[in-house]
Amino acid sequence: MPEDADCMAKWNRKLTEAVRRYGNGGTFWTQNPDLPVMPIETWQIWNEPNAKWFAVQPIVPKRYADLLIESSKTIRSIDSEAKVMLAGIFPSPDDDEGMPGATYLSKLYKIDGFRQSFDSLAAHPYAANFEASVDHLVDIREVMRLAGDGDKGLYVTEIGWGSGSGNAFLKGSESAQASQMRSALNYLVGARHRLNLRKVYWFSWKDVRKSVPTCSFCYSVGLFEAGSGLKPKKAWSTFKSFS
């Protein structure tokens, strides 16, 4: 995350280039008339800013608020039709790894200009089970409601459980992974109006090879096995049943 004025300026230059090229009316679309015009219409700023993996230590909400506000100004000045989405909030990092998601969001809402700088909010409700994931979404929605932002849409831009074993995010088998997915998606579909939930994205579509350094559950969280082919896991059939 940008730490100073120089970093913020470099970030803004990069963001400006991206919006001008890939946003509404972007140069990429005019330079490639044979391609379907599919501009980026929503820009999500950063990722899990309340966790140490993606933020400067210590976790200070104002750092992210400044980034979001500045980014929103840049995007909207170039593409007035563009929407801005908040970074996916992680629910409950350990005390030495970040700040609880609902607490972090509450602090963000106290910063001038924050509320006006985004159009929708995102969450990454990773948890040992879908009940805990739901609790996080309910907490996030309540913070939004209390801040007067209840009308804004809520997006689950990451959620998932692996079929491997070794920690709480890994369910131990393909069948258990598929069962956890079914329970979570059944609830989220049923609660979509109450939570003003717009979309849910499963993370991720394919397992990662064991030789690649990545997160502990990324090796088995996919809908397909790792490798050059696309060998579906049991979760793929479950996923398709919700389409």
Side-chain angles (χ1 to χ4, degrees):
M1 191 181 296
E3 298 181 52
D4 53 38
D6 182 58
C7 288
M8 187 70 80
K10 291 177 180 177
W11 165 262
N12 258 327
R13 286 198 294 273
K14 190 70 174 178
L15 186 59
T16 296
E17 292 172 1
V19 179
R20 284 178 176 169
R21 182 162 176 78
Y22 298 109
N24 287 297
T27 57
F28 180 85
W29 311 111
T30 57
Q31 292 169 359
N32 296 277
D34 295 335
L35 295 179
V37 178
M38 300 175 65
I40 296 176
E41 298 177 337
T42 299
W43 300 82
Q44 186 175 24
I45 305 302
W46 220 251
N47 182 59
E48 298 179 3
N50 62 311
K52 72 175 185 179
W53 310 286
F54 301 104
V56 180
Q57 296 294 313
I59 303 296
V60 178
K62 191 175 186 305
R63 285 180 179 150
Y64 177 65
D66 289 345
L67 173 65
L68 182 71
I69 292 168
E70 187 70 21
S71 298
S72 180
K73 290 177 181 177
T74 298
I75 293 168
R76 290 168 173 172
S77 69
I78 301 167
D79 183 355
S80 60
E81 298 178 24
K83 303 297 183 183
V84 177
M85 182 184 290
L86 201 70
I89 302 296
F90 189 78
S92 53
D94 293 336
D95 290 341
D96 61 341
E97 295 182 337
M99 184 182 297
T103 301
Y104 185 80
L105 184 60
S106 295
K107 292 179 180 293
L108 285 173
Y109 269 115
K110 295 177 182 178
I111 299 171
D112 288 342
F114 168 76
R115 180 183 169 189
Q116 295 76 26
S117 64
F118 68 100
D119 302 286
S120 57
L121 192 142
H124 293 174
Y126 290 116
N129 51 61
F130 88 90
E131 292 91 347
S133 295
V134 168
D135 288 344
H136 173 59
L137 295 176
V138 170
D139 290 345
I140 289 292
R141 174 52 71 188
E142 180 63 9
V143 172
M144 295 174 70
R145 187 189 67 80
L146 292 174
D149 249 358
D151 289 340
K152 286 183 179 177
L154 176 60
Y155 290 73
V156 175
T157 47
E158 286 186 33
I159 191 172
W161 291 271
S163 56
S165 57
N167 63 48
F169 298 144
L170 302 173
K171 299 294 103 180
S173 70
E174 286 192 22
S175 295
Q177 178 194 30
S179 178
Q180 190 71 257
M181 172 194 280
R182 184 178 298 106
S183 296
L185 295 185
N186 269 330
Y187 178 87
L188 293 174
V189 169
R192 64 189 185 279
H193 298 302
R194 179 165 61 88
L195 294 173
N196 197 5
L197 187 62
R198 304 295 175 81
K199 290 185 180 181
V200 177
Y201 296 85
W202 181 266
F203 180 86
S204 63
W205 77 284
K206 189 176 181 181
D207 291 345
V208 177
R209 292 179 183 272
K210 293 288 181 65
S211 59
V212 179
T214 184
C215 71
S216 62
F217 74 104
C218 292
Y219 300 106
S220 67
V221 75
L223 305 174
F224 296 87
E225 293 183 2
S228 58
L230 284 177
K231 184 177 180 181
K233 297 163 64 177
K234 291 183 177 179
W236 173 238
S237 296
T238 301
F239 187 80
K240 287 197 300 180
S241 70
F242 285 88
S243 63

